[in-house]
Amino acid sequence: MRNISFALTTTQVMEGTKTVTRRLGWQFLKVGDLLRPVKKCMGLLPGERLDVLRDPIKVIGLRREPLRQMLDDIDYGFRECELEGFGAHPDYRWPSAFVGMFCATHRGCTPETVITRIEFAYHWED
């Protein structure tokens, strides 16, 4: 099972308020894939262990879209901030702030960058 890091949104994943994540790349994913949510998986120091946040999550939706779609359709942007777990956050509930934060934390990313939007579920029936 592949690990997926939620270093910037650990609290939202632990609380279950985040059901969408945006990633650069990740084009190999398929709906139905299971992912292990961890705090950090790249750059672990020798002896450091994975910090698994909760039981696996299941990919229930995938699409590629420009990050700026959150800015171009403001209603969509606010809904997506909510799904990203930032609905109650005083800063990042605003689409412009979320896009700015995403670009600042992902080297080379601009609002025009095409990202992978991953929707996931914490609980499901097979």
Side-chain angles (χ1 to χ4, degrees):
M1 182 180 316
R2 183 174 289 274
N3 294 320
I4 184 167
S5 172
F6 290 101
L8 299 175
T9 54
T10 299
T11 300
Q12 292 90 330
V13 170
M14 300 274 294
E15 293 175 352
T17 60
K18 179 180 181 72
T19 58
V20 165
T21 189
R22 285 169 166 72
R23 301 294 160 130
L24 300 179
W26 287 75
Q27 292 157 284
F28 54 84
L29 275 184
K30 299 182 297 300
V31 169
D33 284 353
L34 296 180
L35 301 170
R36 181 182 300 109
V38 299
K39 185 171 184 176
K40 175 175 124 176
C41 53
M42 292 183 62
L44 291 175
L45 298 173
E48 250 187 309
R49 308 192 97 191
L50 282 178
D51 184 2
V52 178
L53 300 177
R54 57 185 302 151
D55 289 341
I57 57 177
K58 185 175 189 174
V59 176
I60 60 171
L62 285 169
R63 68 174 173 258
R64 304 268 298 152
E65 64 186 30
L67 184 58
R68 77 164 302 106
Q69 186 165 332
M70 292 179 70
L71 304 174
D72 293 341
D73 180 345
I74 199 68
D75 291 333
Y76 174 74
F78 276 107
R79 283 191 310 274
E80 290 297 295
C81 286
E82 182 83 30
L83 296 173
E84 285 272 3
F86 289 110
H89 194 283
D91 297 321
Y92 300 125
R93 66 187 174 101
W94 296 94
S96 58
F98 177 86
V99 169
M101 178 270 299
F102 190 94
C103 291
T105 57
H106 294 79
R107 187 181 5 217
C109 183
T110 70
E112 286 70 33
T113 301
V114 176
I115 54 84
T116 303
R117 180 192 180 274
I118 305 166
E119 187 172 5
F120 58 89
Y122 296 103
H123 308 283
W124 63 90
E125 293 182 25
D126 286 328

Coordinates of all heavy atoms in Angstrom, one line a residue, residues 6-43:
F6 N 0.4 13.8 4.8 CA -0.4 14.9 5.2 C 0.3 15.8 6.2 O -0.3 16.2 7.2 CB -1.8 14.4 5.7 CG -2.6 13.8 4.6 CD1 -2.7 12.4 4.5 CD2 -3.3 14.6 3.8 CE1 -3.5 11.8 3.6 CE2 -4.1 14.0 2.8 CZ -4.2 12.6 2.7
A7 N 1.5 16.2 5.9 CA 2.3 17.0 6.9 C 1.7 18.3 7.1 O 1.8 18.9 8.2 CB 3.7 17.1 6.3
L8 N 1.1 18.9 6.1 CA 0.5 20.3 6.2 C -0.9 20.2 6.8 O -1.5 21.3 7.1 CB 0.5 21.0 4.9 CG 1.9 21.2 4.3 CD1 1.8 21.9 2.9 CD2 2.8 22.1 5.2
T9 N -1.6 19.1 6.7 CA -3.0 19.0 7.1 C -3.2 17.8 8.0 O -4.3 17.1 8.0 CB -3.9 18.9 5.9 OG1 -3.4 17.8 5.1 CG2 -3.9 20.1 5.1
T10 N -2.3 17.5 8.9 CA -2.4 16.4 9.8 C -3.6 16.5 10.7 O -4.4 15.5 10.8 CB -1.1 16.4 10.7 OG1 0.0 16.2 9.9 CG2 -1.2 15.2 11.7
T11 N -3.9 17.6 11.2 CA -5.1 17.8 12.1 C -6.4 17.5 11.4 O -7.2 16.8 11.9 CB -5.1 19.2 12.7 OG1 -3.9 19.4 13.5 CG2 -6.3 19.4 13.6
Q12 N -6.5 18.0 10.2 CA -7.7 17.8 9.4 C -7.9 16.3 9.1 O -9.1 15.8 9.1 CB -7.6 18.6 8.1 CG -7.7 20.1 8.2 CD -6.3 20.8 8.4 OE1 -5.4 20.2 8.9 NE2 -6.3 22.0 8.0
V13 N -6.9 15.6 8.8 CA -7.0 14.1 8.5 C -7.3 13.4 9.8 O -8.2 12.6 9.8 CB -5.7 13.6 7.9 CG1 -5.7 12.1 7.8 CG2 -5.5 14.2 6.5
M14 N -6.7 13.8 10.9 CA -7.0 13.1 12.2 C -8.4 13.3 12.6 O -9.1 12.4 13.1 CB -6.0 13.6 13.3 CG -4.6 13.4 13.0 SD -4.0 11.8 13.5 CE -4.1 11.9 15.2
E15 N -9.0 14.5 12.3 CA -10.3 14.9 12.7 C -11.4 14.4 11.7 O -12.6 14.5 11.9 CB -10.5 16.4 12.9 CG -9.7 16.9 14.1 CD -9.7 18.4 14.3 OE1 -10.2 19.1 13.4 OE2 -9.2 18.9 15.3
G16 N -10.9 14.0 10.5 CA -11.8 13.5 9.4 C -12.5 14.7 8.7 O -13.5 14.4 8.0
T17 N -12.0 15.9 8.8 CA -12.7 17.0 8.1 C -12.1 17.2 6.7 O -12.7 18.1 6.0 CB -12.5 18.3 8.9 OG1 -11.1 18.6 9.0 CG2 -13.1 18.2 10.3
K18 N -11.1 16.5 6.3 CA -10.5 16.7 5.0 C -10.9 15.5 4.1 O -10.6 14.3 4.5 CB -9.0 16.8 5.1 CG -8.2 16.9 3.8 CD -6.8 17.0 4.1 CE -5.9 17.1 2.8 NZ -6.1 18.5 2.2
T19 N -11.5 15.7 3.0 CA -11.9 14.6 2.1 C -11.3 14.8 0.7 O -11.6 14.0 -0.2 CB -13.4 14.4 2.1 OG1 -14.0 15.6 1.6 CG2 -13.9 13.9 3.4
V20 N -10.6 15.8 0.5 CA -10.0 16.1 -0.8 C -8.5 16.6 -0.6 O -8.3 17.3 0.4 CB -10.8 17.2 -1.6 CG1 -10.0 17.8 -2.8 CG2 -12.1 16.7 -2.1
T21 N -7.6 16.2 -1.4 CA -6.3 16.7 -1.4 C -5.8 16.9 -2.8 O -6.3 16.3 -3.8 CB -5.3 15.7 -0.7 OG1 -4.1 16.3 -0.5 CG2 -5.2 14.4 -1.4
R22 N -4.9 17.9 -3.0 CA -4.4 18.2 -4.3 C -2.9 17.9 -4.3 O -2.2 18.1 -3.3 CB -4.6 19.7 -4.5 CG -6.0 20.0 -4.9 CD -6.3 21.5 -4.9 NE -7.6 21.7 -5.6 CZ -8.8 21.4 -5.1 NH1 -8.9 20.9 -3.9 NH2 -9.9 21.5 -5.8
R23 N -2.5 17.3 -5.4 CA -1.1 16.8 -5.4 C -0.5 17.2 -6.8 O -1.2 17.2 -7.8 CB -1.0 15.3 -5.3 CG -1.5 14.8 -3.9 CD -0.7 15.3 -2.8 NE -1.4 15.3 -1.5 CZ -0.9 14.7 -0.4 NH1 0.3 14.1 -0.4 NH2 -1.6 14.8 0.7
L24 N 0.8 17.4 -6.8 CA 1.6 17.5 -8.1 C 1.9 16.1 -8.5 O 2.4 15.3 -7.6 CB 2.8 18.3 -7.9 CG 2.6 19.8 -7.5 CD1 4.0 20.5 -7.3 CD2 1.8 20.6 -8.4
G25 N 1.6 15.7 -9.7 CA 1.8 14.3 -10.1 C 0.7 13.4 -9.7 O -0.5 13.8 -9.9
W26 N 1.0 12.3 -9.2 CA 0.1 11.3 -8.7 C -0.9 10.8 -9.8 O -2.0 10.4 -9.5 CB -0.7 11.8 -7.4 CG 0.2 11.8 -6.2 CD1 1.2 12.7 -5.9 CD2 0.2 10.9 -5.1 NE1 1.7 12.4 -4.7 CE2 1.2 11.3 -4.2 CE3 -0.6 9.8 -4.8 CZ2 1.4 10.7 -3.0 CZ3 -0.3 9.1 -3.6 CH2 0.7 9.5 -2.8
Q27 N -0.4 10.9 -11.0 CA -1.3 10.4 -12.1 C -1.4 8.9 -12.2 O -2.3 8.5 -13.0 CB -0.7 11.0 -13.4 CG -0.8 12.5 -13.5 CD 0.2 13.2 -14.4 OE1 1.3 13.3 -14.1 NE2 -0.3 13.6 -15.5
F28 N -0.7 8.2 -11.4 CA -0.8 6.7 -11.5 C -2.0 6.2 -10.7 O -2.3 5.0 -10.8 CB 0.5 6.1 -10.9 CG 0.8 6.7 -9.5 CD1 0.2 6.2 -8.4 CD2 1.7 7.8 -9.4 CE1 0.5 6.7 -7.1 CE2 1.9 8.3 -8.1 CZ 1.3 7.8 -7.0
L29 N -2.6 7.0 -9.8 CA -3.7 6.6 -8.9 C -4.9 6.2 -9.8 O -5.1 6.7 -10.8 CB -4.1 7.7 -8.0 CG -3.3 7.9 -6.7 CD1 -4.0 9.0 -5.9 CD2 -3.2 6.6 -5.9
K30 N -5.7 5.3 -9.2 CA -6.9 4.9 -9.7 C -8.0 4.9 -8.7 O -7.7 4.7 -7.5 CB -6.8 3.4 -10.3 CG -5.8 3.3 -11.4 CD -5.8 1.9 -11.9 CE -5.4 0.8 -11.0 NZ -4.1 0.8 -10.3
V31 N -9.2 5.2 -9.1 CA -10.3 5.1 -8.1 C -10.3 3.7 -7.5 O -10.2 2.7 -8.3 CB -11.7 5.5 -8.8 CG1 -12.9 5.1 -7.9 CG2 -11.7 6.9 -9.2
G32 N -10.5 3.6 -6.2 CA -10.5 2.3 -5.5 C -9.2 2.0 -4.9 O -9.1 1.1 -4.0
D33 N -8.1 2.7 -5.2 CA -6.8 2.5 -4.5 C -6.9 2.8 -3.1 O -7.6 3.8 -2.7 CB -5.7 3.4 -5.2 CG -5.2 2.8 -6.5 OD1 -5.6 1.7 -6.9 OD2 -4.4 3.6 -7.2
L34 N -6.2 2.1 -2.2 CA -6.1 2.4 -0.8 C -4.8 3.0 -0.6 O -3.7 2.7 -1.1 CB -6.2 1.1 0.0 CG -7.5 0.3 -0.1 CD1 -7.5 -0.9 0.8 CD2 -8.7 1.2 0.3
L35 N -4.8 4.1 0.3 CA -3.6 4.8 0.7 C -3.5 4.9 2.2 O -4.5 5.0 2.9 CB -3.7 6.2 0.1 CG -3.8 6.4 -1.4 CD1 -4.2 7.8 -1.7 CD2 -2.6 5.9 -2.1
R36 N -2.2 4.8 2.7 CA -1.9 4.9 4.1 C -1.6 6.3 4.4 O -0.6 6.9 4.0 CB -0.8 4.0 4.5 CG -0.4 4.0 6.0 CD 0.8 3.2 6.3 NE 0.6 1.8 6.0 CZ 1.2 1.1 5.0 NH1 2.1 1.8 4.2 NH2 1.0 -0.1 4.7
P37 N -2.5 7.0 5.2 CA -2.2 8.4 5.5 C -1.2 8.5 6.6 O -1.3 8.0 7.7 CB -3.6 8.9 6.0 CG -4.3 7.7 6.5 CD -3.8 6.6 5.7
V38 N -0.1 9.2 6.3 CA 1.0 9.4 7.3 C 1.3 10.9 7.4 O 1.0 11.7 6.6 CB 2.3 8.6 6.8 CG1 2.0 7.1 6.7 CG2 2.8 9.2 5.5
K39 N 2.0 11.2 8.5 CA 2.4 12.6 8.7 C 3.4 13.1 7.8 O 3.3 14.1 7.2 CB 2.8 12.8 10.2 CG 3.1 14.3 10.5 CD 3.4 14.5 12.0 CE 3.5 15.9 12.3 NZ 3.7 16.1 13.7
K40 N 4.4 12.2 7.6 CA 5.6 12.5 6.7 C 6.1 11.2 6.2 O 6.3 10.3 7.0 CB 6.6 13.3 7.5 CG 7.9 13.7 6.8 CD 8.7 14.6 7.6 CE 10.1 14.0 7.9 NZ 11.0 14.9 8.6
C41 N 6.5 11.2 4.9 CA 7.1 9.9 4.4 C 8.4 10.2 3.6 O 9.2 9.3 3.5 CB 6.1 9.1 3.6 SG 5.3 9.9 2.3
M42 N 8.6 11.4 3.2 CA 9.8 11.7 2.5 C 10.7 12.5 3.4 O 10.3 13.2 4.2 CB 9.6 12.5 1.2 CG 8.8 11.7 0.1 SD 8.6 12.6 -1.4 CE 10.2 13.0 -1.9
G43 N 12.0 12.2 3.3 CA 13.0 13.0 4.1 C 13.0 12.5 5.6 O 13.4 13.3 6.5

